[in-house]
Amino acid sequence: MVQKLFQEVSRVSGAVAVFHQSIPMLTGYSFFRSVLSFTCKRSCQESISQTLARSPFSTYSKLSAFPSFYTTPSHSYSWCCPFSTSLHLRHCSPLLCSLFHSSRPTTLMDLKDVLEILEQLAPLSLAESWDNVGLLVEPIKGRPIRTILLTNDLTDSVMSEAEAMNCDLIISYHPPLFRPIKRLVSKDWKQRLAIRAITAGIAVFSPHTAWDSVKGGVNDWLVGGVGSGKVSVLSQALGSAPQIHQLEFTARSQEELNTIMAELQGTKSGVSLQHNAVRSESGGYLVTLLCPDLALTPSVQTLLRHAAPSQSLSILQTQKPPLPGHGQGRLSVLDESITVATAIQRMKSHLGLNHLRLALGTQRNLESTVSTVAVCAGSGGSVLNGVKADLYITGEMSHHEVLDAVASGCSVILSDHSNSERGFLSVVKERLKVRLSDTVTVALSQADRDPLEVV
């Protein structure tokens, strides 16, 4: 019976992933519940609910949803029925299976286990090159991770909160340690936080721009607050594979080519080099050599020792492959145009704020139409600069950056820096709860807040 229900749900929802897990439920009776979990578009939720309501298990079933980290605007749903069953995996993406598995292990987790999950949710390779992300403070003695505290900024008050709750790991969106440290002294407030963390045995992790960049991350959450639309990335993230250089040169004969390649393969870089040689009309060879960054210097030195290559050598840097959906900033072409006033009210609700700062574009008013919205969490002036949109939404911009936007006819909404980011922590909490063991508690900091307020 559950098998037929599964097939019907798949048919009406076009589910991307459907899978099953039997889990023990402490309900006063000794039985197992079967859980169907699947990922599909939010528009399918009503059809799914109606299908479940017609089932014999409708009295007992429960449909719940949580946002998908990688598939905006898809959601994941779970449905429980009061009988155990053997339901096979179908149409199931391994990535989605790993992200949305409905059962939660009950074994203790150490720091390494939690860091692996954080890496799955948002690879640190997505962070900007200037950023300082990852594990910033590691306790000398490892211990099971039982309590995780989420905060946008790690301050003295947040650290006191973590100490009071015997926290094992602080995930601070902004890195409390950013610039290189030559000494650890308590008079510097950031260094004092690191000392307190080490003393209390608390690990500190920061994802920062990795969360900004990842598909389904901070910027997708931020742009979703203004309404649904076709979303694209403003500054495309590139693959993290090592940089490859393309070296082009000529060799006068097959013998010279063989000698050169033997010397190149014999360099101390220890890297295997790929090359392609094409016979030229003059009888020589046009050679293309792919060279990793590590092997570039010894390879060039080798080529310069030969007459023909030294006179014809050119070096090109190959472009890393783009990562669709990942990158800094977002541009949304709204499904339905709204007014500036409506955008303000939606963002106040989305960010949980009573006040926002607004700069109206030239010849614009509160009733002006907004069809395109560009967003960047935090300080978005550099990312939004020159982007054609009806409205910019970010935490902060400089005075002159706002003037430039207004002069171009674009209105600007500013929330203050961390207010454009903090609400995403609630989303992260739910995503971690799905992935972590039942032995781990995830809490949102109650002491964390933007340092600026309207008075």
Side-chain angles (χ1 to χ4, degrees):
M1 187 174 293
V2 175
Q3 178 75 24
K4 292 182 179 179
L5 180 61
F6 158 72
Q7 293 172 345
E8 179 64 11
V9 168
S10 296
R11 184 186 67 80
V12 302
S13 68
V16 175
V18 181
F19 46 95
H20 157 271
Q21 177 71 29
S22 293
I23 54 175
M25 305 294 289
L26 300 178
T27 58
Y29 297 92
S30 178
F31 62 84
F32 285 77
R33 284 192 174 181
S34 298
V35 180
L36 305 184
S37 299
F38 43 94
T39 300
C40 62
K41 292 182 178 179
R42 282 181 290 205
S43 58
C44 299
Q45 182 178 0
E46 184 176 351
S47 299
I48 296 169
S49 299
Q50 292 173 355
T51 301
L52 295 178
R54 293 194 298 269
S55 76
F57 312 129
S58 59
T59 304
Y60 309 97
S61 64
K62 180 182 179 181
L63 183 69
S64 58
F66 55 89
S68 161
F69 204 81
Y70 285 88
T71 52
T72 305
S74 298
H75 270 51
S76 277
Y77 301 89
S78 294
W79 173 80
C80 295
C81 75
F83 301 103
S84 123
T85 181
S86 59
L87 188 62
H88 298 290
L89 305 185
R90 297 195 178 186
H91 316 299
C92 188
S93 158
L95 173 61
L96 291 170
C97 278
S98 67
L99 288 176
F100 303 116
H101 204 288
S102 55
S103 66
R104 297 177 63 194
T106 57
T107 56
L108 293 176
M109 304 187 75
D110 59 21
L111 181 59
K112 180 182 178 182
D113 297 328
V114 177
L115 293 179
E116 287 176 352
I117 290 173
L118 290 169
E119 178 68 16
Q120 291 170 10
L121 293 178
L124 294 178
S125 60
L126 292 174
E128 295 296 296
S129 59
W130 49 261
D131 207 357
N132 188 37
V133 296
L135 185 63
L136 304 184
V137 176
E138 181 178 11
I140 296 175
K141 294 183 178 180
R143 67 189 189 193
I145 302 297
R146 291 185 170 91
T147 304
I148 298 175
L149 182 64
L150 299 177
T151 183
N152 205 80
D153 293 285
L154 182 53
T155 59
D156 279 316
S157 58
V158 173
M159 179 57 75
S160 296
E161 180 184 18
E163 293 168 336
M165 65 194 305
N166 295 317
C167 177
D168 303 296
L169 170 62
I170 297 173
I171 299 178
S172 175
Y173 168 76
H174 285 136
L177 300 176
F178 190 79
R179 295 180 178 87
I181 295 175
K182 293 185 178 181
R183 59 182 61 85
L184 274 176
V185 293
S186 59
K187 67 179 181 180
D188 181 284
W189 74 274
K190 290 187 176 181
Q191 294 176 27
R192 184 169 63 248
L193 291 175
I195 295 172
R196 290 176 65 182
I198 294 172
T199 303
I202 301 174
V204 179
F205 175 91
S206 176
H208 201 202
T209 52
W211 279 10
D212 293 346
S213 178
V214 71
K215 184 177 181 180
V218 180
N219 281 306
D220 281 310
W221 167 81
L222 183 61
V223 77
V226 78
S228 62
K230 184 178 180 181
V231 178
S232 57
V233 176
L234 292 179
S235 180
Q236 180 69 58
L238 302 177
S240 58
Q243 184 67 59
I244 300 295
H245 303 271
Q246 181 173 306
L247 278 58
E248 298 179 349
F249 60 92
T250 60
R252 291 171 294 189
S253 65
Q254 181 69 56
E255 182 180 0
E256 183 180 44
L257 176 58
N258 292 341
T259 300
I260 292 171
M261 292 310 303
E263 292 182 15
L264 288 170
Q265 299 294 357
T267 59
K268 295 181 180 180
S269 66
V271 178
S272 179
L273 303 176
Q274 297 180 344
H275 79 283
N276 180 54
V278 179
R279 192 69 178 264
S280 65
E281 295 180 358
S282 61
Y285 290 89
L286 300 175
V287 185
T288 300
L289 178 72
L290 296 181
C291 178
D293 202 45
L294 180 64
L296 179 61
T297 298
S299 296
V300 170
Q301 290 174 342
T302 298
L303 292 172
L304 292 179
R305 290 198 294 266
H306 296 267
S310 65
Q311 296 174 8
S312 58
L313 178 63
S314 64
I315 303 174
L316 304 174
Q317 192 176 65
T318 59
Q319 185 70 29
K320 293 183 178 181
L323 298 175
H326 304 288
Q328 299 301 324
R330 297 293 187 269
L331 175 67
S332 179
V333 180
L334 299 178
D335 293 334
E336 295 183 5
S337 297
I338 58 176
T339 64
V340 173
T342 299
I344 293 170
Q345 292 306 314
R346 288 185 180 181
M347 292 310 299
K348 282 183 177 180
S349 175
H350 188 60
L351 301 176
L353 300 174
N354 294 322
H355 302 91
L356 292 169
R357 290 191 290 168
L358 170 70
L360 285 169
T362 301
Q363 299 183 343
R364 300 290 191 272
N365 57 52
L366 290 176
E367 297 305 312
S368 294
T369 299
V370 174
S371 300
T372 54
V373 181
V375 309
C376 181
S379 182
S382 61
V383 175
L384 299 176
N385 182 37
V387 175
K388 292 184 178 180
D390 299 318
L391 177 66
Y392 288 170
I393 299 175
T394 186
E396 60 181 347
M397 293 172 65
S398 73
H399 174 75
H400 294 287
E401 288 170 339
V402 173
L403 288 179
D404 288 340
V406 168
S408 70
C410 179
S411 299
V412 178
I413 291 177
L414 302 179
S415 64
D416 286 333
H417 191 114
S418 67
N419 289 334
S420 66
E421 305 156 337
R422 184 169 290 104
F424 183 68
L425 296 178
S426 296
V427 179
V428 173
K429 177 183 176 180
E430 296 306 311
R431 292 170 182 173
L432 285 176
K433 285 171 63 177
V434 173
R435 296 284 291 141
L436 296 173
S437 166
D438 277 331
T439 62
V440 181
T441 298
V442 183
L444 293 175
S445 172
Q446 301 303 304
D448 177 45
R449 57 180 52 86
D450 195 275
L452 294 172
E453 57 182 279
V454 179
V455 296

